Each structure stands twice: as structure tokens, then as C-alpha cells.
Amino acid sequence: MHLHKYEKIWLAFGIGSLILFLVIVGINAFVTGHQPPSSDKTVDPQVVGEIAPFNKPGLKKIGKNEYQLVVLTSAFSFDVGTQDKVVEIPKGAKVHIIATTKDVVHGFEIAGTNANMMLEPGHISETTQTFREEGEFTLLCNEYCGSGHHLMHAKIKVVDQS
Amino acid sequence: MIETAVKVNKKDAKLALAHIIVAFIALFIGGLCGFLQVLVRSGKVQLPGGIGYYQVLTAHGVLLALVLTTFFIIGFQFAGMSRTAGALSNKARLTGWIGFWIMTIGTALTTFYILIGKASVLYTFYAPLQAHVGFYIGLALVVVGSWISGFAMFAHYARWKKQNPGQVGPLLSFMSVVNMALWLICSLGVAATVLLQFIPWTLGWTEGINVLVSRTLFWYFGHPLVYFWLLPAYMVWYVVIPKVIGGKIFSDSLARMSFILFLFFSIPVGFHHQLTEPGISPTWKYIQVVLTLMVVIPSLMTAFSMFATFERFGRSKGATSLFGWLKFLPWNDARFLVPFIGMVAFIPGGAGGLINASHQLNQVIHNTIWVTGHFHLTIATTVVLTFFGAAYWLVPHLTGRTFTKQLNQLAIVQAVVWSVGMTIMSGAMHWVGLYGAPRRSSFSDYGGSAQAADWIPYQIAQAVGGSMLFLGIILVLYIIVQLLWFAPKGEEEFPIGEAEETAEKTPLFFDKWWLWITIVVVLILLAYSIPFTHMIQEAPPGSPGYNRLC
Amino acid sequence: MEKDKEKTYKKDSLKGTLFSVLAVGGFILLSWFTVWSLFLSRI
Ligand code: HEM
Ligand SMILES: [Cu+2]
Ligand SMILES: [Cu+2]
């Protein structure tokens, strides 16, 4: 089959761009460690509320400016360990988020950050996010989970403690 | 190319029209739902009488993404095959009618359960949300009906091949067969999850459902689904548009080549919809990302072919400057202009798709309203405008009427209204999606969140654009009703392009169907067997059903 | 100034096509890198 000379140029340019994209995201994923959230841990969703760490949702300090945030969701709320559903995080903290759901599929998104992942019953989801900027971020559910889906939210307050 | 029939056989025309009529009814109801959605999301309007936002959104997704598309495509392909490979045999036609009625009954059943509020699970029906079993049975019937029609098309193509030994099948028929093969192979996944997982679970025969497996089977189907929508648009671009402008098909072989590449690479890529999900190794996700970007290549080829067709035509009319050929295109002909706008929309649509599929880059936009903005460009503009542009000659061709000057002008107005409305709606969706505004969500202030307050102006812009789109739907329906029943009687051409005389003969090997199918199966096994086995072996306890819907 | 204004192209030239598709490619690269930089800025 015959290709026009310009079509060859175009395909070379196009395929070259695709390879460039793949190399960039590949290096970022496999070398720098920014894989999309893909935790492989499982748990029984019926009793997950009694199993550590989900028996005590909330923020825990685990190192110098390093934290773990445990979140347990159910229709239609985020349990982040506080009554008012506000989590205060020190500016610059690196937060390891671990979350799952007791019932249906939910979405876990901290708007304006890269923390964006699916929560599925029986599976644990994990991601890491560093909060460099002060301010209030909305944690919301971005996967339809039933009639109260759009009412499902919490707040992340990044505060300067220095 | 061998022309078998200049006109679609009268009886085949009825079959095609039946499909097209259902498609446009779905467009009306689904479009009305879309209009309600943008109004609700603006925060200024509430739905009356206990109608749920998610009920409306389910109807919108099912009727537009599944019903409008499948019915139009099957109707168009039956007409196209009758036109290029000759009238259907009585048996094939009867099979087509059986397929049509099964699909129609299925659609009615599914729509009924959505309307009575028992199936507000959205068109993706993710477990463990649980709808009434009638919703799933209806969907299964739609799929099974489409298979039956697909078999009628395969049989028709095989008959043509038998009658014309040693010749390559007519291009439009060849493409229809590729599309139905793609559809058959991919919809096995959705049929499997509906028949083996959802229906037994909803009836209480099984206790729990494996959520990750059901989602994986859904997206094994869900991505090729979008190519099932897109390929008929490409058929119009490759085969019909050259004739409409008075030019030639740039290359018959390249067109077939790109369709075969779509068949190969559009299926083993479903993980790019599951990039942020647990339970799937990031390496397997990346492998499917690589395969996903391969499927861009035939679209690159298509872009070149389209421009080349246009340039060749303009130059044959005497264009001499670099872009002078553009002037010679028939901008006043809706049969050209409307699909052309669809082509233009595919540029940002394709660019957005590449972003969506780029592994961790998906985290920026996953489940934000950016995604909704993206597919309103690809399907609700590229595909839908191409279908509208095709309906403007196809419907009168089938009804024995004509697409008059006035209707042509109205069709141009329609396309302009659509383009402006979509630019506003989709543009606002893309932009605010990058700030994190979620999709599939009724209006909410997220507890007085300052971020969510910033999203509201964009939601109002969406309502403005969306209202224009609804006006566009009224206009296109008016035109279609005219073409079906009122436009003056006459003959409207079914345009089929021919390859350039200088083009080389299309090689026969394109009809090596078993080879293509084998390659497809190998690619699917490569991409899925290991991660899918892992999902089953390492499965957590199954989930019971939940139905706090509305 | 005047002399390069009206360069003419032969009947079978596909220069316009080449420039058109390259413009499409440029648009794709631009969009992709814009969102990629947004991703990096949010890491
Ligand atoms: C009047 C014209 C239209 C308007 C105003 C409109 C508006 C909308 C809006 C606002 C949403 C998002 C709702 C949300 O996520 O909360 C949506 C979703 C959707 N639209 Fe449209 N749309 C229109 C036409 C179309 C067409 C013609 C198609 C396809 C052929 C289409 C396919 C879809 C699909 C598949 C969804 C996703 C549903 C889901 O997430 O479950 N729309 N539409
Ligand atoms: Cu939700
Ligand atoms: Cu996809």
C-alpha cells in the first residue's frame, strides 16, 4: 500500500508525539513514582469499620511533616474523624491518604489537587498528596453513589503553623 | 468501485427508516433531559413533581448514548449495505426486522423503569447500585437485537462476496461489517456482566457481586462503544463527503486500513477508564495506555485523508495558493457543512481524549465535568452532527422526498446554533473541570465551599449553551419531520464516492476476516487475561445491592 | 514583499494538507502540555 510522502511526514510527526507522551508519563510513573492510584489491598466492606486503620478515621502524624489521612466513606458521607468534617493539615505536609467505602462505589477528589481516585467496596485506595498552598480545599465525591451524591463532602484546611 | 444499486431497495428503506425514527424520538426525549440538567445545575431551577436529577440523567445517557446511536447506526448501515451491496435477501431483511423489534422492546422496557424511578443508576449502571431487573433485561434485549441485525449484515456481505468472487467488498459495506464485528466482540463484555452478574444478583439468585469485575467487563465494552459510534461518522467522511463535494476518495486502501486498525486497537484498552481504580496493577494500566495511543494512529490517517480529499478537489477546480482550495468547498451545502463542523470538533475532542488517556494525567480530569465537556464534543458534536448531515440526504432518499433549499438553509442555521451552543457549554465544562468541578452531580454548594462558589458562573454558562443546544434539537427534529412526511416528493441522491482514477487497486487481502478476528482476540487476551484473572482470584467478598436512588 | 505573495502550487500538491495536519498536531501538543504542566504544578 502506497503512502504519500507528506502522509509519511505527518504519521512520523504524530506517532513521534504519541511516543513522547508515553515516555513522559512512563518516566513520571515508573521512575519518579507518580503512578495513578492502584492499591492492591482488599478488605471485607461489611466489617471494614472495625478493622484498622478504618476503625479510627482521621489525620495521624507519622513522621516529620508526614501524615496519614484515613477516610471511610458511606452513602452519603465522608468520615474524616471529625464532627464538623474539617481536617486541618499543616502547610507543606506530605499526606498519605488511605480510603475505602462501606457500601457503594464513591469518588474521592480533593478539588484543585491531584488527589483523585475511585473507592470501591472491598478495595482500599491510596494516594499521596503534598499540600504546599494554604487555603481550603473541598473533598467531594465525584462518582455517582445515589440520591444524596452531591451532598457528600468534607473540607481540608491547609494552615500555616510556623 | 462496482455500483450495485443507485437506490436503496424500497423494502430495505422501510427497515432503515424504522430505526432512524426511533433514533430521533430518543433524541427528543434525551435532549429534553439534557436541557433540564443544565437548568438544574445552574442552581436557578428545581425539578417539579418528584422528578429526580439522576433519573433525568439516566434517561439522558441511555437514550442518547445507547439508543439514539445504536438505532441510527444500524439503520444507516442497513441502508448503506443495500445501496452498495444490493437489496437484502428476504431472509436478511426479516432478520433485520426481528433485531429491530427486539431492540425496540428492550428500549421501551428500560425507559419504562427509568421513568417510574426504579432505575436511576445512570447509563453505566455501576454495581453495587441496583436497579429494577427490568432495566437490565431491557438493556440485554437491546444488545441481543443489535447482534441479530449484525448477523443479517454479515450474511449480506458474505452473499455479495459469493456472487462477486475475487473482488473486494464495496467500501461502505466493508466498513459496516468492520463496525458490526467490533460491536459484536465488545458487547460480549457487557452482555456477560448483565446476564451473568447483574440479573442473577438482582433476582437474588446470587448474594454478592464482584464490583471490579463488573466494571472491567463494562469498560471492555465501553471504550470500543465509542468507536462503534465514531466509525459510521468516518464512513460518511470517507465515502459520502467526497461525492457530496464533487471530489474523489483519497485512497480506498487507506480507508480500509484505518478501519482494520480501529478493529484491532479499540478493544484492548478499557483500563484507560479505570486508571484511578484500586485492584489493577499500574503496569497493566500503562500497557493499555500504550494500546490506547495506538488507536490514535488511524485517526491521524483519517485527518490526512480528509484534508487531502478537500485539497485535491479544490486544486482540480483551479486553486493555486496554499489554502486556496478551501474556497472551492461547498460551504452552502448542509450535507457537507454539517459533517465538516463535526470534523472540526474532533480536533479538540481528540486532543482531550489523549489527555484523558495519558495514565496519571487522568487524575487531573477524572470524573470532573471536563469529561462531560469532552464527550459532548466527540459524540454530541462530531458524531451527532455527522449523523444529522447524513440524515439530510438519507431520510429523503428513503422516503422519496427531497431536501429542499429552505430545509438546507435551516439545516445550516441548526448547525451554527449547535456549534455556538456547544462551544459555550463544552468550553465551560472543560475549563471548570480543570478546577475540579465534578460531573454527574446535581447542583450543590458543597457546604458553602469557596471553590464550589467559583464554579457557579461556569454552570450558568453551561445552561446558556445547553439551552441553545436544545433549540438546535427542535430545529433538527423539524427538518427530519419534514423530510419524513411533508417535503416535496422527488429523488434525493445517496452519495457514494469513488476512488481517484490514479489510485492503485484495492488489494484483496482486506477481506481476510478470520485473520483480523484472530489478531483482535490475541490482543484482547494479552491486555486482559492476567489482570482479569487477578481480579477474580484476589476478589474481596461480593457486595449486596443498594438502591437509595433517585 | 510582493514577490512571495502568490506562490502557486501544482494540481497534485498536498502542501495545504501537510500544513493543516501539522497545525492540528501543534494544537494537540499544546493542549497536552498545558494539562501536563497543571498536573506537575499540583504534585
Ligand atoms: C440539548 C442538548 C444537550 C444538553 C443540554 C446536554 C447536557 C448534558 C449535561 C449537563 C450532562 C452532564 C450532567 C452531569 O454530569 O451531571 C450531560 C451528560 C451526558 N450527555 Fe448530554 N447534553 C445534550 C446532548 C447530548 C447528546 C446529543 C448526547 C449524545 C448523543 C449526549 C450524551 C451525554 C452523555 C453520554 C452524558 C453522560 C451521562 C452520565 O454521566 O451518566 N448529550 N449532558
Ligand atoms: Cu457520590
Ligand atoms: Cu475510552
Side-chain angles (χ1 to χ4, degrees), chain B residues 104-266:
Chain B
T104 305
I105 292 167
T107 300
L109 198 64
T110 295
T111 312
F112 172 77
Y113 284 103
I114 298 170
L115 291 183
I116 63 167
K118 296 254 188 247
S120 303
V121 290
L122 306 190
Y123 84 109
T124 46
F125 56 91
Y126 291 145
L129 292 176
Q130 196 176 60
H132 191 285
V133 69
F135 173 86
Y136 305 115
I137 294 176
L139 287 183
L141 290 175
V142 173
V143 172
V144 170
S146 72
W147 288 350
I148 294 175
S149 295
F151 284 123
M153 292 181 204
F154 296 151
H156 190 55
Y157 191 79
R159 193 181 68 146
W160 189 96
K161 288 289 292 179
K162 210 179 232 159
Q163 288 168 352
N164 300 270
Q167 294 183 35
V168 276
L171 182 57
L172 192 57
S173 294
F174 172 90
M175 292 170 151
S176 301
V177 170
V178 171
N179 202 29
M180 288 323 273
L182 174 94
W183 172 251
L184 188 74
I185 298 169
C186 80
S187 54
L188 286 172
V190 73
T193 184
V194 167
L195 297 175
L196 304 177
Q197 291 191 287
F198 279 93
I199 292 179
W201 169 69
T202 306
L203 292 173
W205 300 344
T206 50
E207 251 173 50
I209 188 164
N210 185 328
V211 171
L212 187 55
V213 164
S214 75
R215 296 171 65 84
T216 302
L217 287 170
F218 183 87
W219 285 114
Y220 161 87
F221 154 80
H223 187 78
L225 170 68
V226 311
Y227 281 93
F228 173 68
W229 302 333
L230 187 64
L231 291 192
Y234 277 23
M235 293 179 203
V236 173
W237 299 359
Y238 271 116
V239 181
V240 174
I241 294 293
K243 176 76 179 201
V244 167
I245 66 172
K248 294 277 157 86
I249 296 177
F250 177 63
S251 162
D252 179 282
S253 304
L254 278 176
R256 286 177 208 252
M257 179 75 188
S258 75
F259 268 60
I260 295 294
L261 289 178
F262 279 123
L263 181 61
F264 290 168
F265 294 115
S266 66

Side-chain angles (χ1 to χ4, degrees), chain B residues 386-527:
Chain B
T386 302
F387 288 0
F388 292 171
Y392 296 150
W393 51 260
L394 180 59
V395 172
H397 178 90
L398 299 174
T399 55
R401 297 180 186 273
T402 52
F403 185 46
T404 61
K405 270 227 157 58
Q406 290 92 318
L407 289 175
N408 182 69
Q409 289 323 102
L410 195 59
I412 290 174
V413 173
Q414 195 281 339
V416 171
V417 169
W418 197 274
S419 318
V420 176
M422 194 55 89
T423 306
I424 298 173
M425 185 175 93
S426 169
M429 286 172 161
H430 274 95
W431 201 261
V432 74
L434 292 177
Y435 294 133
R439 68 180 284 206
R440 302 187 134 178
S441 298
S442 187
F443 181 79
S444 172
D445 71 350
Y446 293 98
S449 141
Q451 281 178 316
D454 288 344
W455 301 337
I456 292 177
Y458 295 91
Q459 282 157 207
I460 292 178
Q462 289 164 32
V464 173
S467 306
M468 295 183 69
L469 288 171
F470 185 61
L471 175 66
I473 286 183
I474 303 291
L475 289 176
V476 70
L477 286 171
Y478 173 81
I479 300 170
I480 297 298
V481 167
Q482 290 292 318
L483 293 173
L484 278 170
W485 294 296
F486 304 107
K489 295 240 157 140
E491 295 227 343
E492 186 70 44
E493 181 198 8
F494 187 138
I496 295 287
E498 286 165 32
E500 307 213 27
E501 290 102 51
T502 54
E504 56 197 325
K505 211 170 151 274
T506 307
L508 208 56
F509 77 79
F510 280 114
D511 276 323
K512 287 197 188 305
W513 295 97
W514 292 112
L515 177 63
W516 308 147
I517 303 290
T518 312
I519 295 176
V520 175
V521 172
V522 168
L523 283 170
I524 292 169
L525 290 177
L526 270 176

